[in-house]
Amino acid sequence: MMKNFKRKRLLSSAKNKKYNIFADYYKPAELFKSNAITPIHAGRDVAFTASKDTSLSVDDFEWLVDNMIGDNTGDNISESARFYNEAAAIYWIWKNCKSKYVGLMHSKKVFDLRQFYKSK
């Protein structure tokens, strides 16, 4: 029950912000998550199918599920992610995120926004 509650909270917080930068993941990597950055698991429906990039363990899959939203909720093309790569996440954002401003970055190619924020 707690995991479902956590997943619903992640999903609603991602959908209802004025601005949102999504960080696209397909396997575990350094987690980028903040008020401005929302991690999204691209291709969640096909996470265990054969891929040229990687094989995913059950533990890796659970980490992704616990730490980010999946592109397999709402209106989605998650089952086609092997054909469309990050476009499956872009489709999910287009159809499900109501933020006025959105962006997408890959979990391995990160925007360095430190110059825009000063620590207090």
Side-chain angles (χ1 to χ4, degrees):
M1 180 66 177
M2 183 57 111
K3 278 191 177 185
N4 285 337
F5 174 75
K6 183 177 179 182
R7 290 176 193 157
K8 287 179 184 175
R9 190 181 76 229
L10 284 171
L11 183 59
S12 70
S13 68
K15 293 169 84 172
N16 299 317
K17 295 179 186 177
K18 183 176 180 178
Y19 61 92
N20 221 326
I21 299 172
F22 289 88
D24 182 16
Y25 289 79
Y26 64 94
K27 66 179 183 177
E30 185 176 349
L31 184 62
F32 297 99
K33 189 177 195 176
S34 70
N35 288 336
I37 300 172
T38 302
I40 182 168
H41 179 194
R44 185 167 283 176
D45 276 353
V46 293
F48 291 111
T49 60
S51 165
K52 67 176 179 55
D53 296 322
T54 186
S55 60
L56 202 61
S57 72
V58 172
D59 289 339
D60 287 347
F61 182 78
E62 280 299 316
W63 182 87
L64 291 163
V65 169
D66 289 343
N67 288 291
M68 60 197 66
I69 58 174
D71 70 345
N72 63 341
T73 60
D75 191 349
N76 72 83
I77 58 170
S78 183
E79 72 284 347
S80 300
R82 289 285 183 252
F83 303 107
Y84 299 119
N85 57 45
E86 286 85 3
I90 293 169
Y91 183 91
W92 185 92
I93 295 165
W94 171 46
K95 291 294 188 175
N96 297 288
C97 181
K98 303 303 179 209
S99 300
K100 186 172 181 177
Y101 305 101
V102 296
L104 179 70
M105 66 181 185
H106 196 280
S107 59
K108 292 183 179 179
K109 297 172 182 85
V110 179
F111 298 129
D112 185 356
L113 303 173
R114 290 176 290 189
Q115 70 181 10
F116 300 106
Y117 298 98
K118 295 181 181 173
S119 57
K120 295 179 181 180

